[in-house]
């Protein structure tokens, strides 16, 4: 009887080395070896195989052995969703608590001018499921729009608009008030395509002046994490995310004393940069 095999990129993502997409790129770049030979995309492996990433041995884990931690980060404007920036700009990963032998994997992205909720996990399979369009996870944004928003604009965006990369639509649009030409709305999309929210409004001749993600699935951005801060999600919150992703619940591992000390130091030394905060006169309605 032969052992079960799994796709190489899936096993690497589960080991916390990055998302499946990142691991596919690493395999194509020749950075992964299996049993001493350079791997190719499409390879399947068994748990007994020897795998190396950038010539460093990888500890393979079964699905039930993978630590599943999730943190919520409140991204300020001006930060990039990348691990390193050639121009030296601030990245979201600089603010996160340090891990030993694992990596934080971003569940989706926000562009440099968008603020709000970002989720990070150590579980590559959870990240992949929550980002995949087939899972149909709702993303809710608070949007400040410049210009006169008419009913026909909203109807068009809900019914669907053809963008450069295919049709797109909001599943819900709610007005949240505002004054003059700057009106706030809350909108919901089911995918995370590049600048999708901004492009939908632009298709109606309107400009988004502020954009903030306030919800991802069942997780709402709340006062636990101010701009530039993170908070670890509770067992119940993580279990709800897993359920939405079609995965079994798994106990969140307790932090070791060393991890607690390290995370505490990281949280207290990585405060928001004052210059990146918005002036009090520009507060969003209802904290958005």
């Amino acid at each position: 009887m032969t052992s079960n095999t799994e796709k190489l990129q899936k096993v690497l993502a589960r080991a916390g080395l990055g998302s499946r997409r990142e691991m596919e790129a690493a395999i194509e770049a020749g950075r992964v070896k299996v049993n001493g030979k350079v791997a190719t995309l499409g390879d399947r492996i068994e748990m007994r195989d020897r795998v190396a990433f950038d010539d460093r041995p990888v500890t393979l884990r079964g699905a039930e052995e993978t630590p599943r931690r999730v943190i919520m980060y409140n991204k300020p404007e001006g930060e990039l969703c990348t691990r390193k920036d050639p121009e030296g700009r601030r990245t979201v990963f600089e603010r996160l608590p340090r891990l030993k032998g694992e990596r934080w994997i971003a569940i989706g992205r926000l562009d440099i001018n968008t603020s709000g909720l970002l989720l990070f996990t150590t579980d590559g399979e959870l990240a992949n499921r929550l980002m995949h369009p087939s899972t149909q996870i709702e993303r809710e944004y608070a949007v400040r729009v410049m210009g006169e928003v008419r009913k026909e604009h909203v109807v068009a965006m809900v019914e669907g608009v053809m963008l450069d990369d295919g049709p797109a639509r909001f599943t819900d649009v709610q007005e949240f008030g505002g004054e003059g030409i700057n009106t706030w709305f809350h909108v919901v999309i089911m995918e995370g395509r590049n600048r999708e929210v901004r492009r939908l409004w632009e298709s109606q001749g309107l400009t988004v002046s502020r954009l903030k993600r306030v919800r991802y699935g069942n997780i709402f951005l709340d006062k636990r994490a101010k701009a530039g801060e993170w908070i670890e999600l509770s067992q119940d919150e993580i279990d709800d995310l897993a359920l939405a992703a079609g995965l079994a619940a798994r106990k969140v591992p307790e932090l070791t004393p060393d991890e607690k000390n390290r995370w505490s130091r990281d949280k207290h030394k990585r405060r928001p940069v004052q210059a990146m905060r918005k002036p009090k006169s520009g507060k969003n309605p209802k904290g958005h």
Side-chain angles (χ1 to χ4, degrees):
M1 185 176 178
T2 58
S3 302
N4 290 329
T5 62
E6 291 186 279
K7 288 183 178 179
L8 178 56
Q9 64 266 30
K10 180 177 180 180
V11 177
L12 291 172
R14 196 164 62 214
L17 294 169
S19 68
R20 278 201 206 176
R21 188 174 297 175
E22 290 171 332
M23 293 302 96
E24 288 171 357
I27 294 168
E28 289 184 321
R31 298 169 61 192
V32 182
K33 292 180 180 178
V34 176
N35 299 325
K37 295 181 179 180
V38 176
T40 58
L41 199 58
D43 284 353
R44 300 179 70 90
I45 65 168
E46 302 175 357
M47 289 298 104
R48 64 186 180 185
D49 287 324
R50 291 179 292 106
V51 178
F53 185 85
D54 289 339
D55 292 324
R56 296 178 182 176
V58 177
T59 301
L60 304 184
R61 299 188 181 105
E64 68 287 345
E65 301 173 299
T66 307
R68 181 182 289 162
R69 290 193 172 114
V70 183
I71 57 174
M72 174 176 68
Y73 177 64
N74 188 347
K75 175 190 175 297
E77 292 180 15
E79 288 187 353
L80 293 169
C81 290
T82 184
R83 294 191 187 274
K84 291 184 181 179
D85 178 54
E87 299 178 28
R89 292 171 293 182
R90 186 182 295 278
T91 77
V92 294
F93 288 94
E94 294 173 29
R95 305 287 191 104
L96 307 186
R98 289 166 293 167
L99 294 168
K100 196 171 183 179
E102 295 175 295
R103 299 177 86 188
W104 289 117
I105 301 167
I107 301 174
R109 302 166 67 89
L110 295 175
D111 68 38
I112 191 170
N113 295 319
T114 302
S115 63
L117 188 154
L118 270 175
L119 296 176
F120 294 86
T121 182
T122 55
D123 185 349
E125 181 64 17
L126 178 65
N128 183 68
R129 293 279 190 98
L130 290 173
M131 288 187 287
H132 201 279
S134 65
T135 312
Q136 294 286 286
I137 298 293
E138 291 186 342
R139 289 98 157 151
E140 182 177 344
Y141 292 80
V143 189
R144 189 173 71 186
V145 181
M146 291 180 61
E148 182 187 354
V149 180
R150 299 192 296 271
K151 182 178 179 180
E152 53 262 37
H153 294 148
V154 175
V155 170
M157 291 185 292
V158 170
E159 289 184 347
V161 173
M162 183 60 70
L163 302 178
D164 292 343
D165 55 353
R169 63 183 288 265
F170 293 131
T171 59
D172 191 24
V173 178
Q174 298 289 336
E175 186 173 344
F176 259 64
E179 297 178 359
I181 62 170
N182 289 310
T183 308
W184 282 91
F185 292 85
H186 274 220
V187 299
V188 176
I189 57 174
M190 306 298 283
E191 293 183 79
R193 286 148 61 185
N194 186 39
R195 298 185 70 256
E196 185 174 1
V197 174
R198 294 180 189 274
R199 289 187 294 142
L200 272 164
W201 286 100
E202 288 167 2
S203 74
Q204 305 304 305
L206 300 164
T207 301
V208 172
S209 58
R210 290 282 301 279
L211 183 60
K212 183 175 187 176
R213 185 154 67 193
V214 295
R215 179 169 65 89
Y216 196 104
N218 63 299
I219 305 300
F220 288 83
L221 185 66
D222 56 34
K223 295 179 180 179
R224 290 179 295 171
K226 298 177 182 178
E229 295 181 351
W230 52 267
I231 188 77
E232 188 171 18
L233 296 189
S234 69
Q235 180 76 60
D236 286 345
E237 288 172 320
I238 296 174
D239 287 350
D240 284 345
L241 278 175
L243 181 64
L247 296 173
R250 190 184 307 153
K251 183 172 173 56
V252 177
E254 292 185 15
L255 294 175
T256 65
D258 178 62
E259 287 174 326
K260 285 181 181 178
N261 289 334
R262 189 166 66 245
W263 284 36
S264 178
R265 288 196 303 270
D266 288 347
K267 176 165 284 191
H268 286 95
K269 78 178 182 182
R270 302 184 183 203
R271 308 300 292 179
V273 178
Q274 191 68 30
M276 297 180 71
R277 290 181 175 176
K278 295 292 179 185
K280 291 185 178 180
S281 59
K283 282 186 176 179
N284 302 348
K286 297 194 175 184
H288 302 322

